[in-house]
Amino acid sequence: MVKFSRISGPFRRWFPFSALPEESSHTPIPRFCRIYCALALGAALLILICVYLNSWLWNDIEFLRSEPFRKGITSAVPLDRFNLILNWLGLGMLAGAIFYGFKIARQANLEAVRNTKILQEARQRTMEIAALYDTSQDISAQHDLSALLRTIAERAKKLLATAGCAIFLYDPERQDFEIMVEVGVGMPIGAHLSRHEGLAGRVADTMEYLIVNDYATWPYRSQVLKQLPISAALCVPMARGGTLIGVLGVHEVGGTQRTFTEAEARLLSLFGGNAACAVYNARLMEALRNSEKRFRIAAECASDIVYDWNLVEDKVKYFGELFEKSLARKKLAARSRQAYWEMIHPDDRPRVQESLKKHLEANADFSEEYRISNGKGAYVVVVDRATAIRDKTGRPVRLIGAVSDITERKHAEQMKSDFVSFVTHQLRTPLSGVKWMLELAEDSLNNPKELRSYIRDARISTDRLIGLVKDLLDISRLERGKLQMSCQRICLADLTNSVISEINPLLSEKEQTLSVKVGDGLPEACADAQLLRQLILNLVSNAVKYTPAKGKIEIEITRDGNRLRWAVRDNGIGIPSCDLGRLFEKFYRAGNVLSVETEGTGLGLYLSRLIVEKFGGRIWCDSSEGIGSTFLFELPLDVGEGLNEGCADSCN
Amino acid sequence: MKDARILVIEDDPFMRRACEMGLKKKGFKVLTAVDGEDGLRQARAGTPHLILLDLLMPKLSGIETLEALKKDDRTRNIPVVILSNSPVETDMQKAQSAGAVGYLVKASLSLQELSDRVAAYLEQTEQTESIGKE
């Protein structure tokens, strides 16, 4: 009817056949309608003409019956022949028109039916596509797995217009299905089916859709679902990349008879694919969240700094309490690795960078100890272990590592090695001495004077050894808190004098003078006598040792509030200021002592400190190199000042 | 070599005395020094045939003394044997690289063994020298 549509507007509106075609929402009338119209028109026209011309026909009906008419059609008057021709033509056209009319009507009807069908199918497809699209939108928007599955089930149920829908999720470890979601029927959510059981099992075995149109008589029904009044079911696998994730099924219940078709099965399969994606994605998200959580917890629990360095963009992220609290957080917040490099001690930097380079290129292990600035002007020692993450071409793109503060450990290691060198030298020297002296003694049995000297030397070495071992033991016990004190009331002045008489020989040998000044009305100290004696002896002998011949030593005992103060001052070699802070450390010897004697162990002051602290007091030193030193300690007089309670009890 | 001169550089008086007496009894002539500086002085003046050197000494350490000895033309060719109490590898290596011909650990030697080793070192040096002369 294209030609007709070109007819101008107003004419179209009343012209009966032109109104119909493309504007009609119903049935488009086929093309050969035109022929029909043409014929009908022609017929009508001709009939009109005939009626006009043959108005007398009705009067001449008898004439038609007469013989001359029948015989002489050909001999009739030309005008009559013309009329007859026209008449027959007209009738013929009319017949044709009627015949065609029926044909067209039938054709139109068929077309109408077919088009309705097509339209319906188109509508159905549109609905399905819309449903699938909505589902995939949900999948990308929602990550809550159960909510997502529920939506999918509801959509599937609506789309296929069934009574119910259920999703079974497969657990490959346990080899069974769990009913995760269910709408409409009352399936037991959370129930389990084994791998080969029931509808889900069959679908899993074949990895294809399964239609059961008469569920009641289906032989493979599972126990779990047997109770339910399912009449027909359609199940499809939810698979992703060949791996079974679960089974999606729709079903009818009760008396409703339904035959699921292959087309429906294919549609549901598409849904199944979507659902599989949904599950897979949700699982991935959860795994990712868990992994991030674990990482964060680990980073926060460890006293490490964990870092994640994007090598491509040179951006670093730091995690961990240690980072939050210290190590120049602001500096590192600059995010680029350069700031971190600059914090490393310059002597260690090349080694660390070289090692990192080797790791990134050749994948050698990266584990380095180095010093790093703590932002407050000092260095701490850390250990840095890292691993690179590479892309497909093997190029490193990320470096993930942990940095731990090992200053304590290093300190302990240093102490251990100090101890070993101490033992090696300090204990072995007197031992060798004793050994050789005795060997010499053996050879001098005929020379008593010589013999005596060797034995004497051996004895002195032995004494030294014994003293050393004793010191070590005391220190060990004090350190571990295992030393038992037997406290009593002691007069400090008396004890000091007793010590002085012991070292008198050495004093006179070095021609040194020693004076003792005691304050008035001093109370007695409360302490362990042996330890206190050791303390005083140590400090006094130090004064004697490190003061040259003819030097002067002064001891002063006073009271300072609720404490007793004991001080010894000498005019000896003094102590360099840089050593003052560490003087009371184990094995520590000031820098200038080696020039005086090599027998010092570095234990004396350490032991003194341990003893004073055990008494609840404190010990310190004032000194100027080359001028002299003063060593002082204070002892508390009552528990309030720090006196040990057990000790106080013994004194009372 | 019974009239060889041995210089003992040792700060510990007992050790020093024991070495001195022990070597003297075996027939060696012994010079003693109380520290590195003293040792250097005596080595230049007394031209000993062998030097026994302790490592841990005040002021100038054993290694420093050794280096000084090797730098000085007058003392360079005197064989130096380290007499120490430290069995630590690094110390041995340091001594060797600084030019010591031997390393003895005091605690594991008796005086007899000490003098035997000294004699051996002296002989070794003699042989090397005579080869050198040829």
Side-chain angles (χ1 to χ4, degrees):
Chain A
M1 302 309 276
V2 173
K3 285 197 193 134
F4 273 105
S5 65
R6 290 206 193 116
I7 299 170
S8 58
F11 187 67
R12 272 181 80 199
R13 242 178 272 122
W14 61 259
F15 196 73
F17 303 112
S18 69
L20 293 168
E22 49 283 40
E23 284 159 67
S24 160
S25 59
H26 301 294
T27 59
I29 292 187
R31 241 180 266 141
F32 49 79
C33 215
R34 291 178 230 165
I35 307 171
Y36 162 69
C37 293
L39 284 172
L41 256 169
L45 216 62
L46 280 173
I47 288 172
L48 269 168
I49 296 171
C50 285
V51 163
Y52 174 67
L53 286 176
N54 297 293
S55 51
W56 48 263
L57 188 68
W58 302 110
N59 303 327
D60 283 295
I61 297 230
E62 276 166 23
F63 174 71
L64 282 175
R65 267 192 262 132
S66 70
E67 240 191 77
F69 179 74
R70 272 190 230 129
K71 266 200 304 199
I73 297 171
T74 49
S75 63
V77 177
L79 188 64
D80 291 325
R81 203 176 295 162
F82 183 65
N83 283 342
L84 279 164
I85 292 169
L86 281 181
N87 284 337
W88 284 115
L89 257 166
L91 284 169
M93 281 187 153
L94 196 60
I98 293 170
F99 170 69
Y100 252 116
F102 276 119
K103 199 162 176 199
I104 287 168
R106 203 187 84 151
Q107 204 69 275
N109 193 35
L110 281 176
E111 284 278 325
V113 168
R114 204 176 69 193
N115 290 339
T116 318
K117 258 208 211 143
I118 290 174
L119 210 67
Q120 252 182 0
E121 267 188 47
R123 205 179 287 130
Q124 176 78 347
R125 286 284 157 278
T126 313
M127 266 189 356
E128 288 167 8
I129 289 171
L132 281 169
Y133 177 74
D134 286 338
T135 310
S136 56
Q137 286 293 85
D138 278 347
I139 288 170
S140 22
Q142 217 175 41
H143 296 299
D144 178 357
L145 185 58
S146 36
L148 193 49
L149 287 177
R150 215 184 160 74
T151 318
I152 293 174
E154 275 166 14
R155 285 237 179 73
K157 170 176 174 285
K158 199 165 115 187
L159 195 64
L160 290 159
T162 55
C165 175
I167 297 183
F168 304 72
L169 228 48
Y170 180 62
D171 183 349
E173 270 175 29
R174 294 174 50 163
Q175 293 260 317
D176 72 1
F177 291 96
E178 186 185 335
I179 303 179
M180 289 299 287
V181 148
E182 184 278 329
V183 286
V185 174
M187 270 197 211
I189 294 187
H192 287 261
L193 279 82
S194 74
R195 170 69 177 73
H196 302 284
E197 203 183 325
L199 290 161
R202 287 302 294 262
V203 169
D205 287 338
T206 60
M207 288 296 264
E208 287 207 352
Y209 66 79
L210 175 68
I211 299 178
V212 176
N213 286 322
D214 188 3
Y215 188 71
T217 60
W218 194 55
Y220 306 104
R221 283 173 303 160
S222 116
Q223 285 299 104
V224 177
L225 306 179
K226 235 188 194 157
Q227 325 297 2
L228 301 165
I230 299 175
S231 56
L234 161 62
C235 292
V236 295
M238 286 163 49
R240 199 182 172 280
T243 329
L244 178 70
I245 292 188
V247 170
L248 168 68
V250 292
H251 34 263
E252 288 290 358
V253 286
T256 347
Q257 274 309 92
R258 176 144 175 185
T259 315
F260 288 107
T261 64
E262 225 183 271
E264 287 171 325
R266 277 200 294 275
L267 173 64
L268 196 64
S269 295
L270 286 174
F271 253 70
N274 267 357
C277 271
V279 174
Y280 186 79
N281 282 356
R283 279 180 182 166
L284 270 181
M285 289 303 289
E286 194 168 328
L288 183 64
R289 265 196 296 270
N290 280 345
S291 164
E292 271 187 7
K293 216 196 307 188
R294 274 199 294 271
F295 180 71
R296 218 163 265 283
I297 289 175
E300 261 147 40
C301 286
S303 55
D304 295 356
I305 295 181
V306 177
Y307 61 83
D308 185 347
W309 181 16
N310 182 331
L311 294 163
V312 177
E313 296 169 26
D314 191 21
K315 286 212 193 110
V316 203
K317 268 195 275 192
Y318 300 94
F319 304 94
E321 259 193 77
L322 193 63
F323 169 65
E324 298 298 318
K325 277 198 228 164
S326 72
L327 280 201
R329 186 164 182 255
K330 262 191 237 163
K331 253 196 191 164
L332 291 177
R335 296 303 180 202
S336 117
R337 186 72 175 178
Q338 188 57 33
Y340 189 81
W341 287 128
E342 280 164 12
M343 287 174 66
I344 299 181
H345 195 286
D347 290 344
D348 296 336
R349 219 177 290 157
R351 172 174 50 93
V352 177
Q353 282 176 326
E354 179 64 33
S355 180
L356 181 63
K357 195 159 142 247
K358 276 208 200 115
H359 172 70
L360 291 176
E361 289 170 3
N363 210 23
D365 285 337
F366 179 75
S367 173
E368 283 293 330
E369 292 178 2
Y370 52 82
R371 289 160 289 178
I372 189 163
S373 158
N374 69 349
K376 296 179 205 153
Y379 283 102
V380 293
V381 185
V382 295
V383 65
D384 186 346
R385 295 149 300 198
T387 305
I389 292 182
R390 297 167 193 277
D391 64 9
K392 274 184 278 209
T393 66
R395 182 180 77 129
V397 290
R398 262 170 90 191
L399 190 71
I400 302 198
V403 170
S404 309
D405 186 335
I406 55 169
T407 322
E408 284 288 319
R409 194 179 91 194
K410 278 289 167 195
H411 188 61
E413 277 172 19
Q414 182 63 38
M415 300 247 349
K416 257 192 261 180
S417 102
D418 281 345
F419 183 73
V420 169
S421 21
F422 172 83
V423 169
T424 315
H425 186 78
Q426 294 289 357
L427 291 185
R428 292 176 112 200
T429 307
L431 275 173
S432 317
V434 170
K435 182 177 171 175
W436 285 354
M437 287 304 168
L438 292 177
E439 203 178 325
L440 285 166
E442 255 184 305
D443 278 342
S444 326
L445 292 170
N446 300 325
N447 190 333
K449 198 168 161 217
E450 217 182 311
L451 178 62
R452 193 184 290 132
S453 74
Y454 293 141
I455 294 176
R456 197 192 110 234
D457 284 350
R459 200 173 44 74
I460 295 172
S461 288
T462 315
D463 282 341
R464 212 174 112 197
L465 203 51
I466 292 173
L468 257 167
V469 173
K470 181 177 179 299
D471 278 352
L472 280 174
L473 281 173
D474 283 343
I475 286 176
S476 165
R477 269 181 289 194
L478 276 168
E479 278 174 342
R480 286 181 295 141
K482 287 218 183 296
L483 196 74
Q484 290 286 64
M485 288 207 298
S486 51
C487 292
Q488 61 193 90
R489 292 184 164 282
I490 306 168
C491 171
L492 268 180
D494 289 340
L495 188 59
T496 307
N497 285 323
S498 163
V499 164
I500 291 170
S501 57
E502 194 180 312
I503 56 141
N504 225 347
L506 195 55
L507 267 176
S508 31
E509 199 180 305
K510 286 184 94 169
E511 293 177 66
Q512 290 165 337
T513 52
L514 197 152
S515 59
V516 182
K517 212 160 64 170
V518 184
D520 292 325
L522 284 176
E524 288 175 315
C526 175
D528 179 300
Q530 196 185 23
L531 286 175
L532 191 53
R533 190 194 175 83
Q534 204 166 350
L535 169 66
I536 293 174
L537 179 60
N538 188 284
L539 292 174
V540 173
S541 22
N542 273 355
V544 171
K545 243 196 279 185
Y546 296 108
T547 304
K550 301 206 168 74
K552 197 163 136 201
I553 301 171
E554 289 166 354
I555 297 176
E556 204 175 318
I557 310 176
T558 54
R559 180 178 181 156
D560 185 10
N562 244 331
R563 293 167 160 261
L564 277 173
R565 184 183 285 201
W566 188 101
V568 58
R569 190 180 308 117
D570 66 56
N571 58 354
I573 60 172
I575 297 159
S577 50
C578 58
D579 294 320
L580 277 174
R582 300 186 59 189
L583 207 54
F584 295 93
E585 278 180 30
K586 197 170 181 178
F587 301 129
Y588 194 84
R589 301 199 70 210
N592 61 347
V593 295
L594 284 175
S595 58
V596 174
E597 58 121 69
T598 53
E599 283 172 25
T601 57
L603 289 177
L605 285 176
Y606 178 63
L607 184 54
S608 304
R609 189 186 101 202
L610 287 177
I611 293 172
V612 169
E613 284 171 1
K614 184 97 179 165
F615 290 150
R618 66 181 187 114
I619 185 169
W620 71 103
C621 161
D622 292 323
S623 179
S624 304
E625 193 172 2
I627 296 172
S629 317
T630 309
F631 279 82
L632 313 97
F633 71 82
E634 274 181 354
L635 294 176
L637 284 169
D638 56 50
V639 179
E641 279 287 318
L643 181 61
N644 187 301
E645 272 186 29
C647 212
D649 288 340
S650 306
C651 289
N652 302 332
Chain B
M1 271 186 73
K2 282 304 172 182
D3 39 326
R5 282 190 302 279
I6 316 284
L7 171 62
V8 176
I9 308 177
E10 167 68 63
D11 64 296
D12 185 285
F14 295 110
M15 293 276 97
R16 194 169 57 242
R17 183 169 182 237
C19 280
E20 187 188 352
M21 301 313 292
L23 288 170
K24 272 201 180 133
K25 280 193 195 266
K26 303 297 173 202
F28 296 103
K29 284 209 180 62
V30 183
L31 307 163
T32 57
V34 298
D35 61 38
E37 265 181 49
D38 189 18
L40 282 169
R41 222 176 322 118
Q42 295 221 27
R44 288 181 199 128
T47 59
H49 296 105
L50 186 98
I51 298 178
L52 287 174
L53 178 61
D54 182 27
L55 279 184
L56 200 68
M57 291 193 295
K59 293 189 220 163
L60 212 62
S61 82
I63 297 287
E64 286 166 345
T65 314
L66 179 56
E67 284 167 357
L69 282 167
K70 291 304 169 190
K71 272 210 199 107
D72 193 333
D73 283 329
R74 293 168 280 180
T75 53
R76 189 187 298 150
N77 295 320
I78 307 172
V80 178
V81 176
I82 302 290
L83 198 60
S84 174
N85 250 326
S86 159
V88 177
E89 280 272 335
T90 41
D91 289 338
M92 287 180 176
Q93 280 166 7
K94 264 194 255 173
Q96 196 172 39
S97 54
V101 300
Y103 192 102
L104 298 171
V105 178
K106 282 180 255 189
S108 50
L109 287 173
S110 67
L111 282 170
Q112 176 66 49
E113 285 166 350
L114 175 64
S115 52
D116 288 342
R117 298 295 289 274
V118 165
Y121 280 120
L122 281 169
E123 236 183 85
Q124 191 184 311
T125 321
E126 225 184 84
Q127 279 177 357
T128 335
E129 270 177 15
S130 53
I131 291 170
K133 282 193 190 125
E134 286 163 19

